[in-house]
Amino acid sequence: MLDKTSKIYVAGHRGLVGSAIWDNLLSRGYSNLVGRTHQELDLCDQPSVRRFFDEERPQAVVLAAAFVGGIMANSLYRADFIMQNMQMQCNVISEAYAHGVQKLLFLGSTCIYPKNAPQPMKEDALLTSPLEYTNEEYAIAKIAGLKMCESYNLQYGTNYIAVMPTNLYGPNDNFHLENSHVMPAMIRKVWLAKLLHDQNWRYLRRDLNQRPVEGVSGLQGDDEIAGVLAKYGIYDNRVELWGTGAPLREFLWSEDMADASVHVLLNVDFSDIIGIEKYSSVHYGNTTDGAVDRNHSQGRGGALPQLGEIRNCHINIGTGREISIRQLSQLVAKTVGFEGEIVFDASKPDGTPRKLTDVEKLHSLGWKHKVEVEEGVERLFQWYTDHL
């Protein structure tokens, strides 16, 4: 059982996911937190990860670090996406086990589900049909991560939990037009189109100085700025978006995701997920220095045959609510105060028609989201403009 003094290592504590979890833990009084930047600790380097665990000896681990990106990055760097994510997961999970970590929370993504999974997507839809090709390598890596957690629990009696958040947005989001996700990209595009229409070059240049587009910052001339923005469908009082606007998407405020993740970390055990009161028949022994004795495990080889096949022990984290891309664009326009034209280019791909999570398991474990998308869009736009 973790208490307020427990040392918790948050891998990826500077990212959208990790930073939100870090802040949530602090707000609950868990101040003994450990984080390392990529420059300080390369999680793909196993000897470095081992030295870190040797020195810090965390009692719990939140594995939120990942190599991530949009469709273009997933297509260009397929080898990197599968190799780097697998290396990070293998190194952290194996060293957590070797150093007797009490609890581990693994963060994945709902992209693990098949492209044509029945909607809403239940946890048991995993591995039932082919994945979406454009993010197959990332999805396979995340599936391997959740299976590592599941398998360590069954063989060694560990308490490793995997959660799969839906599409996230929130503070510290990525607003770079080249590789950002739909929500932040749409907010920024609509905002820039409004600034162009209002001839508010002061704020427009401040925006581009903060986040240059293809190397073009606020220092360039008006025509050069207008030209590069036009490449991304941003004009004076007009925004062009890809697709038909018909696809449905689910969005989860990152601070809600963090609250759900920390709730699971602190209150949910593997035994709660697989449906037995005590996971006492599966346990591992500890050596005198706190490391796990790999030769002493009643859990070796699958310890609970009376329960049959144990799989899909991960937990979806989402809202169970969806909104069309067209409706989202209207909501963003209203929030930003944009009264111009939003045009959908149907010659461009739509992507998956629908991707909604089933959150019944999460609700049964005592957590439900608080921030609806209408409020979340307002919060994200406010955060964005506050940080220019």
Side-chain angles (χ1 to χ4, degrees), residues 179-366:
N179 58 12
S180 58
H181 291 129
V182 61
M183 172 87 78
M186 189 183 293
I187 287 176
R188 190 181 183 199
K189 284 184 176 184
V190 171
W191 165 245
L192 290 174
K194 177 176 169 29
L195 293 179
L196 279 172
H197 179 68
D198 294 345
Q199 292 293 295
N200 192 339
W201 287 93
R202 176 170 167 265
Y203 265 94
L204 197 150
R205 291 180 185 282
R206 181 186 294 182
D207 182 288
L208 290 174
N209 283 332
Q210 184 84 358
R211 298 176 180 85
V213 179
E214 294 187 5
V216 175
S217 71
L219 299 176
Q220 268 74 33
D222 295 2
D223 290 344
E224 190 171 358
I225 290 173
V228 76
L229 293 183
K231 290 178 63 175
Y232 292 89
I234 303 166
Y235 304 92
D236 178 345
N237 225 29
R238 175 185 169 94
V239 175
E240 294 178 358
L241 301 175
W242 278 26
T244 64
L248 296 164
R249 291 292 180 268
E250 175 185 19
F251 295 97
L252 178 67
W253 183 246
S254 61
E255 292 173 338
D256 267 357
M257 173 280 305
D259 195 60
S261 298
V262 174
H263 172 82
V264 170
L265 177 69
L266 300 179
N267 301 298
V268 178
D269 293 326
F270 187 62
S271 59
D272 300 317
I273 296 171
I274 64 176
I276 58 174
E277 292 183 3
K278 295 291 183 182
Y279 197 38
S280 57
S281 61
V282 182
H283 68 272
Y284 53 75
N286 289 331
T287 62
T288 55
D289 64 357
V292 173
D293 179 0
R294 294 177 183 271
N295 297 314
H296 178 74
S297 172
Q298 292 184 12
R300 187 176 300 282
L304 300 170
Q306 70 272 26
L307 293 181
E309 295 183 353
I310 299 173
R311 52 163 55 99
N312 303 327
C313 301
H314 57 286
I315 305 166
N316 289 337
I317 296 183
T319 65
R321 182 188 173 194
E322 57 193 349
I323 182 174
S324 75
I325 297 301
R326 185 176 296 275
Q327 290 172 318
L328 178 65
S329 72
Q330 295 165 352
L331 177 59
V332 167
K334 179 181 177 182
T335 301
V336 173
F338 177 73
E339 297 179 351
E341 186 180 15
I342 295 179
V343 178
F344 284 88
D345 183 354
S347 69
K348 297 295 194 298
D350 263 337
T352 304
R354 193 180 180 207
K355 199 172 114 176
L356 180 66
T357 58
D358 184 299
V359 288
E360 182 180 350
K361 183 187 286 189
L362 179 64
H363 289 175
S364 72
L365 294 170

